[in-house]
Amino acid sequence: MPQVVINAQQKGGVGKTTDTVMEAIVASTIFDKKVLVIDTDLQGNATDFLGRTFNLKKIDYTLMRCLEIGDLSKGIVELSDNLDLIGCKYDMRKYGDFLIEKFDNIYDRTFYMSNLLDAIKDRYDYIFIDVPPSTDLKVDNAMVCADYVVVVQETQRFSFDGSKRLVFSYLQSLVDDFGSKVKVQVAGVLPVLLQNRRELHKKIVNDTVSFFGQDNVFNTIISNHARLEWYTAQGIQFNDFHDKKMFALFADIFCELEERIQAFETQGDISDYIYKRRYLTKDNKLTKLGKGLDVNGLN
């Protein structure tokens, strides 16, 4: 069964797009999953990021154009054997008005993209949807497509507060409005640690664990890596030791995500769970599996 995943946060600038792209590339190149990335952000950052990585020069059908004609398959661009993209451009700004003009009720407006996605989703193992840090009708359209949300939380107080609002206000409001039609589960909170030695950041991680519970916080933490910033400017590569460590980190994140999804699918919840890292240790050293990493379909 395909899984639709969204990395989300109400605060901007926490790395949602970078995490989405890295998870999609790791899933498709290391774990041989068939993956689709759908970019719904009118800034098109995921589209540009993947475009630089795979030398994509042109998109004939943007996501907005696909939504207008009612066929997402028209926008699918093959980046590699296992990785596809439906790209987004600034024309996505029209989507809210389009939905209001097309439908006379909130249910049809909210579930339009989800209904179109049903026609293509069985082609994939994973579909990652990149969303902007907002809570409007456009984001609602993406969120009701999702099976799982990963709450990406930078170790800052505003981001921690944003995580609480996302889970207990925004997602809960969708459930209140549409009931069982909203199937999304929170796979967990993924901390993004800016500086390992800053006590405030450690405190916020601890506060996050205390508030959400250890079961609901990823054991794999994204540390601040200049390599990730370099990727966003140059495209993702797999050429040297530092690249291998970056891929090892996200291999652990993807494995932990899969285990969390498996727990929901088999048990209905996550209980007494801590992920055991396989590819990169907590002190940022490659394990034997990490040293043996290789990728298919990149560069």
XYZ file of all heavy atoms in Angstrom, residues 5 42 50-51 56 100 102 118 120-121 132 169 181-182 185 203 205 210 236 239 258-259 280-281 288:
195
model
N 3.333 10.957 2.701
C 4.012 11.539 3.856
C 4.231 13.028 3.626
O 4.642 13.452 2.537
C 5.374 10.850 4.106
C 6.095 11.491 5.289
C 5.189 9.353 4.336
N 4.175 27.429 -3.825
C 4.325 28.278 -5.012
C 5.744 28.797 -5.193
O 6.118 29.230 -6.293
C 3.311 29.424 -4.986
C 3.291 30.408 -3.815
C 4.312 31.512 -3.981
C 1.893 31.021 -3.682
N 15.308 19.604 -6.707
C 15.407 18.375 -7.491
C 15.850 18.670 -8.919
O 16.554 17.863 -9.542
C 14.067 17.644 -7.481
C 13.731 16.956 -6.166
C 12.258 16.574 -6.104
C 14.601 15.716 -5.961
N 15.438 19.826 -9.438
C 15.862 20.202 -10.778
C 17.366 20.355 -10.882
O 17.994 19.912 -11.860
N 17.125 18.969 -14.424
C 15.807 19.137 -15.038
C 15.696 20.555 -15.581
O 15.815 21.526 -14.845
C 14.709 18.880 -13.995
C 13.263 19.087 -14.443
C 12.890 18.100 -15.543
C 12.312 18.946 -13.249
N -12.563 27.753 -5.017
C -13.782 28.459 -4.635
C -14.724 28.609 -5.825
O -15.955 28.469 -5.710
C -13.429 29.825 -4.025
C -12.733 29.612 -2.666
C -14.669 30.694 -3.855
C -12.144 30.867 -2.080
N -14.737 26.589 -8.499
C -15.117 25.291 -9.046
C -16.167 24.585 -8.188
O -17.036 23.879 -8.709
C -13.879 24.401 -9.182
C -14.129 23.060 -9.874
C -12.820 22.297 -10.070
C -13.046 20.950 -10.753
N -13.550 21.106 -12.139
N -5.747 9.782 -5.929
C -6.168 8.384 -5.888
C -5.956 7.679 -7.230
O -5.735 6.469 -7.268
C -7.642 8.276 -5.494
C -7.875 8.543 -4.012
O -6.892 8.474 -3.240
O -9.030 8.825 -3.634
N -3.434 7.939 -9.266
C -2.042 7.627 -9.600
C -1.251 7.033 -8.449
O -0.138 6.533 -8.653
C -1.289 8.876 -10.119
C -1.189 9.936 -9.003
C -1.957 9.444 -11.358
C -0.247 11.080 -9.337
N -1.782 7.060 -7.235
C -0.967 6.739 -6.062
C -0.492 5.297 -6.041
O 0.573 5.003 -5.493
C -1.709 7.081 -4.776
C -2.939 6.271 -4.510
C -3.772 6.839 -3.367
C -3.020 7.011 -2.080
N -3.865 7.510 -0.976
N 3.916 24.512 2.086
C 4.408 25.735 2.722
C 4.007 25.781 4.195
O 3.115 25.040 4.628
C 3.708 26.847 1.927
C 2.446 26.215 1.437
C 2.783 24.771 1.170
N -3.992 21.991 17.209
C -4.948 22.973 16.698
C -5.269 22.697 15.231
O -6.414 22.395 14.885
C -4.406 24.399 16.868
O -4.262 24.718 18.236
N -12.801 10.986 7.427
C -12.266 11.227 6.090
C -10.813 11.702 6.161
O -10.068 11.574 5.195
C -13.114 12.271 5.368
C -14.545 11.828 5.078
C -14.573 10.698 4.059
C -16.011 10.351 3.695
N -16.068 9.231 2.717
N -10.413 12.250 7.306
C -9.020 12.659 7.521
C -8.301 11.496 8.181
O -8.547 11.177 9.340
C -8.949 13.919 8.401
C -7.495 14.314 8.643
C -9.713 15.058 7.757
N -2.010 10.399 10.429
C -1.432 10.126 11.739
C -0.125 10.908 11.867
O 0.569 11.135 10.877
C -1.129 8.636 11.907
C -2.329 7.731 11.825
C -3.066 7.631 13.155
O -2.736 8.302 14.120
N -4.060 6.762 13.205
N 17.659 21.705 25.964
C 16.480 21.810 26.817
C 15.196 21.684 26.000
O 14.234 21.026 26.421
C 16.491 23.127 27.578
C 15.287 23.300 28.519
C 15.340 24.618 29.248
C 14.199 24.728 30.267
N 12.877 24.529 29.678
N 14.796 20.097 23.168
C 14.639 18.686 22.803
C 14.044 17.916 23.980
O 13.117 17.118 23.823
C 15.978 18.068 22.364
C 15.839 16.557 22.202
C 16.450 18.690 21.054
N 9.338 15.498 26.773
C 8.438 15.523 27.923
C 6.997 15.799 27.499
O 6.052 15.210 28.035
C 8.889 16.587 28.929
O 10.163 16.265 29.454
N 21.970 17.760 -4.870
C 22.492 16.676 -4.039
C 23.463 15.824 -4.839
O 23.212 15.473 -5.994
C 21.336 15.811 -3.510
C 20.422 16.668 -2.626
C 21.858 14.614 -2.724
C 19.127 15.990 -2.257
N 29.510 11.982 -3.646
C 30.857 11.915 -4.191
C 31.936 11.636 -3.167
O 32.994 11.109 -3.512
C 31.211 13.231 -4.905
C 30.364 13.454 -6.147
O 29.998 12.509 -6.827
N 30.038 14.707 -6.428
N 9.887 4.330 8.508
C 9.238 3.075 8.115
C 8.819 2.254 9.334
O 7.727 1.667 9.349
C 10.168 2.255 7.221
C 10.269 2.749 5.799
C 10.494 1.622 4.820
O 11.493 0.885 5.006
O 9.702 1.466 3.878
N 9.675 2.200 10.338
C 9.330 1.451 11.548
C 8.148 2.082 12.268
O 7.278 1.379 12.807
C 10.544 1.358 12.475
C 11.623 0.427 11.962
C 12.758 0.222 12.966
O 12.624 0.706 14.120
O 13.755 -0.419 12.606
N 24.448 5.665 11.082
C 25.257 6.736 11.641
C 25.039 6.774 13.149
O 23.909 6.825 13.610
C 24.856 8.088 11.018
C 25.811 9.261 11.227
C 27.105 9.048 10.435
C 25.144 10.574 10.813
N 26.136 6.746 13.906
C 26.017 6.738 15.361
C 25.653 8.124 15.880
O 25.704 9.118 15.146
C 27.341 6.303 16.006
O 28.352 7.298 15.741
C 27.804 4.959 15.457
N 29.237 0.180 10.088
C 29.637 -0.677 8.973
C 28.643 -0.564 7.827
O 29.031 -0.487 6.653
C 29.739 -2.133 9.450
C 30.230 -3.089 8.370
C 30.381 -4.500 8.920
C 30.879 -5.457 7.841
N 31.033 -6.842 8.366
